[in-house]
């Protein structure tokens, strides 16, 4: 094997290692918003109540979390966006998801700072 081939292979594998490290950090590194479901209650055949908490790296920013319900066969049977207003401390939220068939669990799918306009509270006129 020539010296040029060895250097090329070394450069390739080093690049591959750097790419894997970057991808791993982006996927597994510190998340700006972390959530944990603290409880869920199957209310009836068409509703599940989910309690969850949210911790943000920027507590002065509003966020939105997507919560969902699953049936016994694993299908997603309900989904809802929940507005999480800015808060200095841990935010605790509770919501009820209407479902298309009997739910067996509720979970937090994920959260983001990209709050859609239709969820953001509208300022009230003063006067």
């Amino acid at each position: 094997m020539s010296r040029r081939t060895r250097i090329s292979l070394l450069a390739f594998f080093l690049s591959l290692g750097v790419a894997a490290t970057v991808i791993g950090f982006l996927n597994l590194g510190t998340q700006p918003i972390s959530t944990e479901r603290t409880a869920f209650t199957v209310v009836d055949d068409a509703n599940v109540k989910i309690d969850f908490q949210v911790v943000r790296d920027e507590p002065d920013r509003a966020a939105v979390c997507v919560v969902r319900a699953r049936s016994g066969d694993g299908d997603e049977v309900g989904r809802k966006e929940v507005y999480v207003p800015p808060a200095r401390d841990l935010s605790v939220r509770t919501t009820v998801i209407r479902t298309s068939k009997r739910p067996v669990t509720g979970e937090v799918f994920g959260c983001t700072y990209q709050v859609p306009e239709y969820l953001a509270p509208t300022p009230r006129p003063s006067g």
Side-chain angles (χ1 to χ4, degrees):
M1 186 181 306
S2 73
R3 184 169 191 230
R4 180 178 229 166
T5 304
R6 283 187 292 205
I7 291 172
S8 295
L9 283 173
L10 179 63
F12 172 75
F13 285 113
L14 284 175
S15 298
L16 192 63
V18 169
T21 301
V22 169
I23 290 170
F25 177 76
L26 292 175
N27 289 326
L28 302 173
T30 303
Q31 298 297 316
I33 304 174
S34 64
T35 62
E36 181 180 350
R37 179 191 68 190
T38 55
F40 75 91
T41 304
V42 175
V43 177
D44 55 32
D45 285 345
N47 294 283
V48 63
K49 182 176 101 171
I50 301 172
D51 301 317
F52 63 100
Q53 58 190 25
V54 179
V55 177
R56 293 168 275 198
D57 64 350
E58 296 182 46
D60 292 334
R61 291 181 65 186
V64 62
C65 295
V66 174
V67 293
R68 65 184 180 177
R70 291 187 176 266
S71 62
D73 58 8
D75 287 345
E76 182 178 291
V77 293
R79 179 181 280 238
K80 185 176 187 179
E81 296 170 312
V82 179
Y83 177 75
V84 182
R88 282 270 171 219
D89 298 317
L90 172 82
S91 294
V92 178
R93 312 303 295 168
T94 298
T95 193
V96 174
I97 301 174
R98 182 137 179 86
T99 63
S100 58
K101 63 182 176 182
R102 181 161 181 82
V104 296
T105 190
E107 60 193 24
V108 181
F109 184 72
C111 300
T112 181
Y113 288 122
Q114 306 301 316
V115 178
E117 284 187 34
Y118 60 85
L119 279 181
T122 55
R124 296 182 182 192
S126 59

